[in-house]
Amino acid sequence: MFNRTMLQAAAALASISLVAGCSLFSDDDVDGAQQIVVGTTSAPSTLDPAAAWDGSWELYRNVFQTLLSFPTGSTSPQPDAAEGCKFTDPTNTAFQCKLREGLTFSNGHPLDAAAVKHSIDRIQKIDVVGGPNGLLGSLRDVEKEDDRTVTFHLTKPDATFPFILATPAMSLVDPAEYPAAKLREDGKVTGSGPYTLQSYQEGQQAELKKNTRYNGFADRKNDGVTIRYFKESEAMVAALKRKEIDATYRGLTAEEVVDLQAKKKANEGLQLVETTGADIRYLVFNPKDPSVSKLPVRQAIAQVVDRGALVAKVYQGTAEPLYSMVPKGIAGHTTGFFDKYGEPDVPKAREILKDAGIDTPVQLTFWFTTDRYGSSTAPEFAELKRQLEESDLFKVTLQSKPWKEFQEGYKTGQYPVFGRGWFPDFPDPDNFIAPFVGKNNVLGTPYESPEITQQLLPLTRQKSDRGAVSKEFQRAQSILVDDVRLLPLWQGKLYVASSEEIAGGERALDPQTVMQMWELHRQTSW
């Protein structure tokens, strides 16, 4: 999920408000305290940061600190628990951070250099499958210089390392509460973030209160937040309309967004904030499967797919067409697939297949997950099937499985073509290319591209000025277009729906699109 000296546009948050009449809500908070209730469909998979490389980060950002973070409006990592951080050598292989003075965890234990070393070391030692250790591939070891100073020694130059430290995956934990060699299993959290976790009911609710020992950048505009976890967005939106929750984040379907945008009586007193999203959706081709092993087949698919129609019909304007794995708003973004293929063109696709001697219709099987990316995924794949079959060049069979089973399938190379989504760990172009290439990539389908993995990425990681490596990233995207191993489809938008008396929605999403709950507050007057 997510870092950018460069992400000027991605960090810029555009907002729109739907004004459907003002209404005042009673404030039931004790002694005038501001308690905000937020609904989401993104529940944590675990409370221990050493185990999570997923939506659990939403909670972590609010209860833990990281050495670096992204204050609202920042375009690059800024100090959080650290007083300051910097590379100490010209090769970008030693990164040093000095902690703020007097930091403690919420239980009063010191947050010192030893705690930082413990927090990062245990991620590597526990090494949870699919966990955040995957982000630490360049880290050799962590050295405690003194009580407030740590140095991260890297095995190779890696200018993205500060961005990695700014992810919630690198949350700092108390050595007395979090074992060095195993996960914490008591269902509790001890952090140093803006809030403490007062109570937690898995899959149902998290109760956050102000951390009185907090020492960081967050300017908390409320006294606490109740996070309610919903399995379905329909129930979440209904709760918002009944004023049982104050705001929603993650999980709104396109239909629900369109409904909330309409000036209906049922939407009176509600508003919608729209922000630029960095999450993407794409198709993955497995070259070991005979149906898509030939490049002309993949090229013909790329020539037929109509992203504009897909976004219009299925997502109703809540997403936009994507023509590169690096989305709009990230430094180095290109429109490579559009530049090469232009508008959808069936005659051109037919010519590609004919010249390669490939008989039509080509039999294809597309796989997708039923419970990971929202209820629009099935209609999306139905639309892709319609487009491809309407060309008379392809015959598509759709298959689907729940996320857990789906993961097992694609990681073992069982699917010829499958759909995936990507929520960036950090918004640097590196994080939209590096995870998908190489022998052991996140997709389970080895993608050997020596120019990208051995030349371009190592070169870009030597330079801290991320704006100075745009040419290298543009070249990498060009290679992805030529190979058509990945086919980008669309880039999402993010929405915060809330009652009109809740302010701060437009500032609540950091550049990693993680909710900063402290920005939400109840307006004092109308």
Side-chain angles (χ1 to χ4, degrees):
M1 249 146 146
F2 289 167
N3 328 323
R4 333 155 193 191
T5 215
M6 41 272 190
L7 231 194
Q8 314 284 330
L13 300 178
S15 67
I16 59 172
S17 292
L18 301 176
V19 179
C22 295
S23 65
L24 296 175
F25 300 85
S26 61
D27 191 346
D28 297 324
D29 303 324
V30 179
D31 296 328
Q34 281 215 20
Q35 183 78 14
I36 306 297
V37 183
V38 177
T40 179
T41 58
S42 180
S45 62
T46 172
L47 294 182
D48 191 326
W53 193 353
D54 58 22
S56 305
W57 289 11
E58 302 287 356
L59 179 63
Y60 298 169
R61 176 59 79 208
N62 294 279
V63 296
F64 293 106
Q65 277 183 293
T66 44
L67 289 168
L68 299 167
S69 190
F70 290 93
T72 298
S74 66
T75 58
S76 61
Q78 303 296 319
D80 186 0
E83 183 179 275
C85 296
K86 63 181 179 180
F87 281 105
T88 58
D89 68 325
T91 62
N92 287 344
T93 57
F95 191 71
Q96 189 173 94
C97 292
K98 185 172 184 178
L99 290 166
R100 294 174 186 260
E101 191 169 3
L103 282 179
T104 68
F105 291 101
S106 58
N107 59 8
H109 294 175
L111 198 177
D112 53 15
V116 173
K117 176 174 170 57
H118 173 84
S119 299
I120 307 303
D121 282 351
R122 70 188 296 267
I123 293 173
Q124 292 189 305
K125 184 175 291 186
I126 298 172
D127 192 20
V128 171
V129 176
N133 192 32
L135 290 168
L136 295 174
S138 64
L139 178 62
R140 188 182 76 211
D141 59 56
V142 185
E143 180 184 2
K144 174 188 170 184
E145 304 284 359
D146 57 42
D147 286 346
R148 291 176 56 200
T149 309
V150 291
T151 299
F152 300 90
H153 298 286
L154 310 180
T155 59
K156 54 190 175 184
D158 187 0
T160 70
F161 192 72
F163 300 109
I164 293 169
L165 288 182
T167 68
M170 302 300 132
S171 294
L172 303 177
V173 299
D174 182 2
E177 302 285 354
Y178 291 81
K182 66 177 183 178
L183 298 176
R184 182 175 183 176
E185 298 177 345
D186 64 359
K188 297 180 180 180
V189 162
T190 306
S192 60
Y195 301 98
T196 59
L197 183 64
Q198 293 293 298
S199 64
Y200 180 73
Q201 295 172 279
E202 185 175 357
Q204 296 183 50
Q205 185 168 296
E207 193 77 22
L208 310 184
K209 294 293 184 183
K210 268 188 178 180
N211 177 8
T212 58
R213 299 179 184 272
Y214 175 65
N215 179 9
F217 71 85
D219 177 14
R220 293 165 294 183
K221 296 180 174 65
N222 58 61
D223 294 316
V225 178
T226 300
I227 306 173
R228 286 184 55 189
Y229 300 112
F230 293 84
K231 288 184 170 57
E232 302 292 340
S233 61
E234 183 178 0
M236 179 175 69
V237 173
L240 177 67
K241 291 184 176 182
R242 291 195 300 266
K243 304 175 186 177
E244 295 171 357
I245 61 176
D246 297 307
T248 72
Y249 175 58
R250 286 214 190 279
L252 292 177
T253 66
E255 292 78 12
E256 287 161 348
V257 169
V258 171
D259 175 74
L260 287 167
Q261 287 172 335
K263 293 183 178 180
K264 298 179 179 180
K265 185 175 181 180
N267 299 335
E268 286 184 3
L270 300 180
Q271 62 182 337
L272 192 71
V273 172
E274 175 189 300
T275 70
T276 300
D279 60 308
I280 65 173
R281 297 293 185 276
Y282 55 96
L283 293 178
V284 182
F285 298 102
N286 183 353
K288 292 185 177 181
D289 190 279
S291 66
V292 290
S293 61
K294 295 178 180 179
L295 176 61
V297 172
R298 305 195 300 269
Q299 290 175 323
I301 294 171
Q303 189 66 72
V304 170
V305 168
D306 188 338
R307 295 168 178 81
L310 176 68
V311 167
K313 291 182 179 181
V314 179
Y315 292 99
Q316 302 180 54
T318 61
E320 55 187 312
L322 180 64
Y323 298 95
S324 168
M325 290 299 288
V326 178
K328 185 171 70 174
I330 304 290
H333 163 72
T334 70
T335 54
F337 276 92
F338 185 83
D339 298 340
K340 180 167 184 175
Y341 295 99
E343 296 292 345
D345 192 319
V346 172
K348 282 185 180 180
R350 183 178 293 110
E351 194 69 22
I352 290 171
L353 295 173
K354 181 180 178 181
D355 289 348
I358 296 172
D359 294 332
T360 58
V362 178
Q363 302 290 324
L364 300 171
T365 302
F366 281 21
W367 284 83
F368 62 92
T369 180
T370 57
D371 58 353
R372 175 72 170 180
Y373 305 120
S375 60
S376 297
T377 304
E380 173 181 340
F381 275 78
E383 171 62 15
L384 289 171
K385 172 183 168 71
R386 184 198 67 78
Q387 291 180 10
L388 292 169
E389 290 189 341
E390 196 173 71
S391 72
D392 293 326
L393 301 176
F394 303 96
K395 179 64 178 177
V396 181
T397 300
L398 298 181
Q399 298 279 3
S400 61
K401 285 185 177 180
W403 175 246
K404 187 175 181 180
E405 297 174 51
F406 180 77
Q407 276 186 302
E408 294 172 357
Y410 77 71
K411 287 181 178 179
T412 53
Q414 295 179 27
Y415 309 149
V417 185
F418 58 96
R420 281 296 314 273
W422 184 248
F423 297 91
D425 304 309
F426 51 90
D428 182 283
D430 184 289
N431 197 234
F432 290 91
I433 295 175
F436 311 118
V437 296
K439 185 177 181 180
N440 299 309
N441 62 47
V442 299
L443 301 172
T445 54
Y447 181 3
E448 302 290 351
S449 179
E451 185 178 352
I452 294 179
T453 59
Q454 298 174 25
Q455 298 178 38
L456 297 173
L457 290 177
L459 182 61
T460 63
R461 290 171 180 173
Q462 293 176 22
K463 300 180 181 181
S464 296
D465 181 359
R466 307 306 285 157
V469 292
S470 291
K471 288 184 178 179
E472 288 80 4
F473 283 118
Q474 289 167 3
R475 171 57 188 157
Q477 290 170 82
S478 177
I479 294 171
L480 297 182
V481 171
D482 291 341
D483 293 345
V484 201
R485 286 287 307 278
L486 307 163
L487 186 66
L489 296 173
W490 55 268
Q491 172 178 354
K493 300 176 183 179
L494 292 173
Y495 296 88
V496 175
S498 70
S499 71
E500 285 183 341
E501 69 168 3
I502 298 298
E506 72 284 354
R507 294 178 55 83
L509 302 177
D510 76 356
Q512 297 165 303
T513 66
V514 172
M515 180 73 99
Q516 299 180 142
M517 299 292 184
W518 56 85
E519 293 286 358
L520 299 175
H521 60 280
R522 206 174 303 278
Q523 299 187 79
T524 55
S525 62
W526 281 85

